[in-house]
Amino acid sequence: MIFLLVIIYLAFISLGLPDSLLGTAWPTIYTKFGVPLSYAGILSFTVSCGTIISSFFSAKIIRRFKTGLTTAVSVALTAFALIGISFSINFWMILLFCVPLGLGAGSVDAALNNYVALHYKARHMNWLHCFWGIGVTASPLIMSFWLNKGSWQSGYLTVGLIQTGLVIILFLTLPMWNRVGKIKQSNQDKIQENKVISLKEIIKIKGAKPVLLAFLCYCAVECTAGLWGNSFLVIAKGIEVKTAASWISLYYFGITLGRFISGLLTVKMSDKSLIRLGQVLILIGIVLLFIPSIDFIMCVAFFVIGLGCAPIYPSIIHSTPNNFGADISQSIMGIQMACAYIGSTFMPPLFGLIAQYINISLLPAFLLLFCILMIIMCELLNKTKRNSTN
């Protein structure tokens, strides 16, 4: 079972690897292809639409094909898409390959999150997302290396080949998922068979609407900062492209380090406390972005925002079976993932329009708005759960 957990961790590295490539490479790509700055939002929108679709249907897919096969096929789709992007000769080819890139992410995200939430302790959920952070931190460094050599395509190809290696490992270990699944089912009778319930039924559950909106707001903050942070540093703060590409990796490193630390803190702190701590750190980081251009402060700001983001996503996910019941957690998890990706679908493109037609310097204000909304939704969820237990 420990070896299977290692495989799940590797799968989450593969989930994180593609997420920060576009934001890092975009200042080079849009100038090379002669497209508007805001077109990054179109690519992000396309990826997220694919992810939303696969997340909505994830409960049915996983119920039929099981977690292991769903994960392996999903990672294979992302590998295919990344290699395809590396050979793209114009914007529209990149857009085409963004479709399988998005479809590959949704089901594996919902499958692995629910699997770990049901079968492992809170520290494993945080460390799971820490491994996502390893992937999302490594890819800007890989892309920065190839940008120094003048080839953003090689950055995508390198990550695509890494994904291909992970796909091979996942397919070779498929029998293990079945064996461990049988052991878990026999040892944990308290975990009921997953029920597939409709979106209409989920919305009626107390606390469901606040948690779905909280996911949306969280991903609006995380993804907008990740996609536009590099361009913000280059355009608004006048930092060199190659330097900014390296610096934005500090944002993802903050997420990665924060999730490792959060895993240790679960011994002393509840999911609710970790979420609140993360929200405070995000607010501090955003405030630092309002300070007039001081290069060191900008580095610290994105790092602190990353630290703040670290515990929020895994802590909300880990509390899902406890908040809503293990028997329907997979269905709710899929909708949660879909709402999270709605935030990442619409909010980064929206800010892209703001950046192009108003001013990219408004990034801190944009992040602040959604951070405050996220805090309100999380507190509404806490209030609902307190009332239901009284």
Side-chain angles (χ1 to χ4, degrees):
M1 290 187 290
I2 293 177
F3 186 68
L4 178 61
L5 188 60
V6 173
I7 299 301
I8 293 173
Y9 284 164
L10 289 176
F12 247 67
I13 291 177
S14 76
L15 194 63
L17 279 169
D19 286 357
S20 55
L21 281 176
L22 179 61
T24 307
W26 186 244
T28 300
I29 295 174
Y30 90 88
T31 54
K32 180 179 177 61
F33 288 154
V35 296
L37 174 68
S38 62
Y39 273 30
I42 297 175
L43 299 178
S44 175
F45 178 86
T46 303
V47 172
S48 295
C49 281
T51 307
I52 291 169
I53 292 170
S54 56
S55 294
F56 266 119
F57 293 102
S58 62
K60 293 181 179 178
I61 294 171
I62 295 162
R63 187 182 179 93
R64 179 171 180 180
F65 297 105
K66 307 303 179 186
T67 303
L69 183 59
T70 300
T71 301
V73 172
S74 297
V75 177
L77 275 175
T78 65
F80 165 75
L82 291 168
I83 293 173
I85 290 173
S86 73
F87 288 101
S88 297
I89 59 175
N90 56 48
F91 172 82
W92 302 109
M93 286 186 67
I94 297 178
L95 182 63
L96 177 65
F97 284 110
C98 281
V99 176
L101 184 61
L103 290 173
S107 290
V108 65
D109 203 0
L112 295 182
N113 276 308
N114 191 64
Y115 192 89
V116 174
L118 285 173
H119 299 303
Y120 296 95
K121 295 181 179 179
R123 65 175 179 269
H124 294 298
M125 179 62 77
N126 279 277
W127 290 339
L128 176 69
H129 287 268
C130 176
F131 275 80
W132 172 87
I134 291 174
V136 84
T137 302
S139 53
L141 298 176
I142 293 170
M143 182 59 73
S144 180
F145 171 82
W146 286 110
L147 286 175
N148 284 328
K149 295 181 177 296
S151 177
W152 65 268
Q153 292 95 336
S154 295
Y156 269 96
L157 180 60
T158 300
V159 175
L161 293 176
I162 293 172
Q163 293 281 74
T164 302
L166 291 169
V167 170
I168 294 171
I169 293 173
L170 287 168
F171 273 105
L172 289 176
T173 55
L174 276 180
M176 183 184 303
W177 291 84
N178 296 328
R179 289 198 301 270
V180 173
K182 292 177 181 177
I183 294 172
K184 289 287 186 181
Q185 188 63 39
S186 61
N187 290 342
Q188 300 186 33
D189 294 333
K190 63 180 181 179
I191 297 178
Q192 306 173 40
E193 183 180 3
N194 285 331
K195 298 178 182 177
V196 178
I197 60 176
S198 67
L199 175 60
K200 184 177 180 180
E201 292 173 304
I202 289 173
I203 294 297
K204 292 180 180 178
I205 299 173
K206 290 184 178 180
K209 285 182 281 190
V211 78
L212 296 179
L213 289 172
F215 260 104
L216 188 154
C217 292
Y218 170 79
C219 275
V221 171
E222 181 193 296
C223 296
T224 304
L227 180 62
W228 293 107
N230 195 58
S231 298
F232 172 78
L233 291 175
V234 173
I235 298 171
K237 300 299 180 180
I239 296 170
E240 187 180 342
V241 172
K242 296 173 184 177
T243 303
S246 299
W247 282 8
I248 202 64
S249 67
L250 289 173
Y251 168 67
Y252 295 108
F253 176 69
I255 296 176
T256 305
L257 177 64
R259 284 176 178 164
F260 175 77
I261 295 172
S262 296
L264 300 176
L265 291 177
T266 56
V267 177
K268 297 288 186 179
M269 298 178 68
S270 65
D271 288 329
K272 181 170 67 175
S273 297
L274 285 170
I275 291 168
R276 286 172 171 167
L277 174 62
Q279 290 167 343
V280 170
L281 288 173
I282 291 175
L283 286 174
I284 292 172
I286 293 173
V287 169
L288 290 176
L289 288 179
F290 282 101
I291 295 175
S293 184
I294 301 175
D295 292 355
F296 175 72
I297 296 296
M298 293 302 102
C299 283
V300 173
F302 278 104
F303 177 70
V304 172
I305 292 172
L307 281 177
C309 287
I312 296 174
Y313 196 97
S315 295
I316 296 177
I317 288 173
H318 185 262
S319 61
T320 299
N322 181 58
N323 286 336
F324 301 104
D327 57 329
I328 62 171
S329 64
Q330 184 66 77
S331 290
I332 292 180
M333 193 71 72
I335 303 303
Q336 284 182 160
M337 295 299 101
C339 285
Y341 287 116
I342 288 172
S344 62
T345 298
F346 293 101
M347 297 310 113
L350 174 60
F351 183 75
L353 294 174
I354 293 172
Q356 181 171 338
Y357 294 107
I358 305 177
N359 198 318
I360 198 170
S361 298
L362 292 173
L363 178 64
F366 190 87
L367 297 178
L368 181 62
L369 171 64
F370 281 95
C371 182
I372 292 172
L373 288 174
M374 172 180 60
I375 292 171
I376 293 171
M377 290 302 108
C378 286
E379 292 307 315
L380 283 175
L381 172 64
N382 294 335
K383 182 179 179 182
T384 299
K385 300 310 295 182
R386 284 197 304 269
N387 292 340
S388 64
T389 55
N390 291 336

